Amino acid sequence: MPHVQQNFEIRYRRLFETARDGILILNAQTGKIDDVNPFLLKLLGYTHQEMVKKYFWDIFPFKEVPMARFKELQIKNYIRFEDLPLETKAGQDIQVECINNVYEANSKKVIQCNIRDVRERKKEEGRLARYNESLEFQVSKRTDELMGKDKELKHEMFDRQISEKHVYASNKLLKLLNKKISQNEYSDSLVRLLMDWSRCRCVGVQVISGKELYHYDSFQGFKPDFWKLENGISLIEKEVLNIDVLNAQTEAEYLMAITVKGSFRCNDIEEFVASISKKAKVKFLKARVKNGFRSVAIIPVLSQGKIVAAIHLADEKPGMVHLSKIEFIEKLTPLIAEGIDKFDMENQMNIAHIDLAQSKRLSDIGTLAATVAHELRNPLAAINIAMQNIRRKRKDFFIDKHLDSIEKKVLESDQIISNLLFCSRLKMPHCEVVNITDILDECVETIKKKETATENSNS
């Protein structure tokens, strides 16, 4: 047994001497260093004699902390720490990892401290931490880029869907424009399309022509009585759409409900009416509230900078006239305006055709009047010559009186022919001053002659 014990001690001593970590053997009671291996001596720069004169806490730069740790070790019999550097003989701090165990040797408690130089490991850990930090930054940056790309892709897909929907709606309007339908059929079909695009229960289209406030219209969902009110208050709506005519206070209140292109929209009309001043609570808003509408929009249709129509949207549910929906319809208003202009042009052409036919008819009447005038004036001229001959050859008061009457009638007939020619030539009327008494006397004389002739015929 002594031989085995000796071999064990030899192997332990060899391990102690050749270990690549520092090893301290301490007195478990006092903390005094009993032994130290060559690796730790070289690490700290002390000789063996210098080390065995020291206590455990003497090789640390801050003695209070290791003294407290030594007391903790005496109680727990094991302690490990990395937060206390060792101090070399030259005063340099060395980052180490220290594992301390209490055990018995030859019936005596001793403490073995295994000390490992962790400076290289700390450097590697620092490099690894920096690398991980850089890697995390790159990953975070790449993630942000991917999220940005994903967001752009979603926006692009959304814009493409909106664009496809707009193209589809535009094609619908173009097909409607190419159909041979009446003005009212066009407006009715337009209202049905707008109901499909807006999903509002009530939709109406009101067309304005020149200074006329109401030209023709079409609507669905609105009560007829209410729609008549809508037509009657179009001027107010035009004023709302044309912000310039509003006073400063009302303009500021309405601006929050006016889109860039001049549409009025309100997703909750009750809240809007409650939030504006009494002066701004115009008739059409109150009427819509009374009829139970919560979502309201009026979209102007412009042609050459002028409002030619107004699209009315309304629904009892709030939130039915989102900005995206209004902007979608606003993009379609140029095509809607083309349809309205098309029918206006057709109406103008029809009026032009009627005017042309009327002009031709008047021209024909003028030709006929000239022919009739020529044919009638010849016998009148003969009558007038004969009358003058009779007057010259025979001087008789009674006959002269009748001749005067004949001459007057000839002149009247000639004037009628002149008036006929005058009317057929569409000239301005000829005005002159006359004695009203002479005209009245003539009328009375004519009536008396008719009464006398009637009495003679009856007798």
Side-chain angles (χ1 to χ4, degrees):
M1 285 296 291
H3 179 70
V4 174
Q5 181 69 27
Q6 185 180 6
N7 289 337
F8 177 76
E9 290 178 358
I10 292 172
R11 286 197 299 270
Y12 175 77
R13 195 66 192 178
R14 187 179 297 167
L15 179 64
F16 183 80
E17 297 289 342
T18 59
R20 301 305 300 168
D21 291 329
I23 301 175
L24 282 176
I25 304 299
L26 307 177
N27 186 309
Q29 299 300 323
T30 63
K32 192 172 183 303
I33 299 173
D34 288 340
D35 202 358
V36 55
N37 73 335
F39 180 86
L40 187 58
L41 291 174
K42 184 178 179 181
L43 182 67
L44 298 180
Y46 290 102
T47 64
H48 190 274
Q49 289 79 11
E50 289 173 331
M51 284 291 288
V52 296
K53 293 179 181 179
K54 295 181 178 294
Y55 289 89
F56 173 66
W57 43 86
D58 290 335
I59 60 175
F60 293 91
F62 306 103
K63 296 180 173 31
E64 293 81 4
V65 177
M67 288 177 68
R69 289 290 180 89
F70 180 75
K71 291 179 181 179
E72 183 182 352
L73 176 61
Q74 287 177 319
I75 298 171
K76 295 182 177 179
N77 294 329
Y78 171 84
I79 191 171
R80 178 181 180 277
F81 55 84
E82 294 182 10
D83 53 345
L84 292 177
L86 294 181
E87 186 178 33
T88 66
K89 186 177 180 180
Q92 181 184 0
D93 290 347
I94 299 175
Q95 195 73 28
V96 297
E97 177 187 69
C98 188
I99 299 175
N100 309 283
N101 291 285
V102 179
Y103 63 91
E104 287 189 5
N106 298 324
S107 302
K108 181 182 177 182
K109 280 189 175 183
V110 297
I111 298 175
Q112 179 175 323
C113 303
N114 295 325
I115 299 171
R116 177 170 293 175
D117 185 355
V118 294
R119 285 178 293 179
E120 288 300 323
R121 192 185 77 186
K122 290 292 183 182
K123 288 180 181 179
E124 290 297 327
E125 288 177 351
R127 284 194 290 269
L128 182 61
R130 288 192 294 275
Y131 175 76
N132 287 335
E133 184 178 350
S134 175
L135 185 62
E136 287 179 0
F137 174 76
Q138 293 295 330
V139 170
S140 176
K141 183 179 178 181
R142 185 59 179 163
T143 302
D144 291 341
E145 289 176 356
L146 290 174
M147 289 179 67
K149 290 291 183 183
D150 182 63
K151 192 174 182 179
E152 288 179 9
L153 184 60
K154 286 181 179 178
H155 281 304
E156 185 179 345
M157 290 177 65
F158 178 75
D159 292 342
R160 186 174 298 176
Q161 289 174 352
I162 294 296
S163 179
E164 289 175 354
K165 187 177 178 182
H166 184 260
V167 169
Y168 175 78
S170 298
N171 289 336
K172 284 276 190 182
L173 286 174
L174 288 172
K175 288 180 181 178
L176 188 60
L177 277 173
N178 292 328
K179 283 185 178 180
K180 292 183 178 180
I181 55 178
S182 67
Q183 201 171 49
N184 289 331
E185 287 174 334
Y186 170 78
S187 58
D188 290 344
S189 299
L190 180 59
V191 165
R192 287 192 291 271
L193 289 175
L194 288 169
M195 290 190 77
D196 183 47
W197 296 331
S198 67
R199 301 298 179 186
C200 290
R201 193 183 69 81
C202 302
V203 175
V205 176
Q206 186 179 46
V207 179
I208 302 163
S209 178
K211 295 183 179 179
E212 293 181 22
L213 213 53
Y214 165 67
H215 186 47
Y216 65 90
D217 67 342
S218 180
F219 65 94
Q220 284 192 26
F222 291 108
K223 294 179 181 179
D225 292 342
F226 178 77
W227 186 247
K228 287 180 182 178
L229 180 62
E230 289 279 280
N231 292 335
I233 57 180
S234 297
L235 180 60
I236 298 174
E237 293 170 348
K238 286 183 69 178
E239 290 177 350
V240 172
L241 298 173
N242 182 9
I243 286 295
D244 294 337
V245 304
L246 299 176
N247 59 53
Q249 179 184 358
T250 307
E251 178 179 342
E253 292 176 354
Y254 272 101
L255 274 176
M256 58 184 175
I258 303 295
T259 68
V260 175
K261 292 191 175 181
S263 299
F264 173 84
R265 72 168 195 98
C266 185
N267 264 327
D268 195 329
I269 204 72
E270 288 183 359
E271 291 183 3
F272 181 76
V273 171
S275 67
I276 60 180
S277 63
K278 290 183 178 180
K279 290 183 179 180
K281 293 177 181 178
V282 292
K283 185 179 178 182
F284 80 97
L285 287 176
K286 291 181 179 179
R288 289 186 173 99
V289 172
K290 287 179 180 178
N291 279 268
F293 294 127
R294 298 287 296 277
S295 298
V296 171
I298 307 164
I299 305 169
V301 179
L302 283 80
S303 177
Q304 298 179 354
K306 296 181 180 179
I307 298 177
V308 296
I311 297 170
H312 302 252
L313 306 178
D315 202 289
E316 290 83 359
K317 294 181 290 185
M320 292 297 291
V321 287
H322 296 293
L323 181 60
S324 58
K325 186 183 294 185
I326 302 303
E327 289 176 343
F328 174 79
I329 296 176
E330 285 176 339
K331 289 180 180 179
L332 297 171
T333 53
L335 280 176
I336 296 173
E338 282 187 28
I340 294 170
D341 291 341
K342 170 192 170 185
F343 287 108
D344 285 345
M345 289 179 64
E346 288 179 355
N347 290 337
Q348 291 174 8
M349 288 179 65
N350 291 334
I351 292 171
H353 284 305
I354 293 171
D355 290 343
L356 183 62
Q358 184 70 18
S359 298
K360 187 176 182 304
R361 183 169 173 273
L362 289 175
S363 177
D364 293 341
I365 291 173
T367 303
L368 177 63
T371 303
V372 170
H374 176 73
E375 296 298 329
L376 288 178
R377 273 181 170 165
N378 286 334
L380 285 176
I383 293 171
N384 191 44
I385 291 170
M387 178 196 64
Q388 294 298 336
N389 288 332
I390 294 171
R391 187 191 299 276
R392 188 173 60 253
K393 291 181 179 180
R394 181 160 183 161
K395 298 293 184 179
D396 189 325
F397 175 76
F398 182 77
I399 292 175
D400 286 345
K401 188 176 180 182
H402 287 288
L403 290 175
D404 290 340
S405 179
I406 292 170
E407 184 181 12
K408 189 173 182 180
K409 295 303 179 183
V410 168
L411 291 174
E412 287 178 357
S413 298
D414 187 68
Q415 184 61 47
I416 291 171
I417 293 170
S418 297
N419 291 341
L420 179 62
L421 291 172
F422 178 80
C423 291
S424 65
R425 291 170 188 166
L426 296 177
K427 292 182 179 180
M428 293 298 293
H430 174 71
C431 300
E432 62 178 342
V433 178
V434 296
N435 191 337
I436 190 67
T437 305
D438 294 340
I439 296 173
L440 292 174
D441 289 341
E442 183 181 347
C443 292
V444 171
E445 186 65 27
T446 302
I447 292 171
K448 286 181 177 180
K449 286 181 179 180
K450 286 184 178 179
E451 289 177 351
T452 301
T454 302
E455 289 175 0
N456 291 334
S457 62
N458 292 333
S459 59

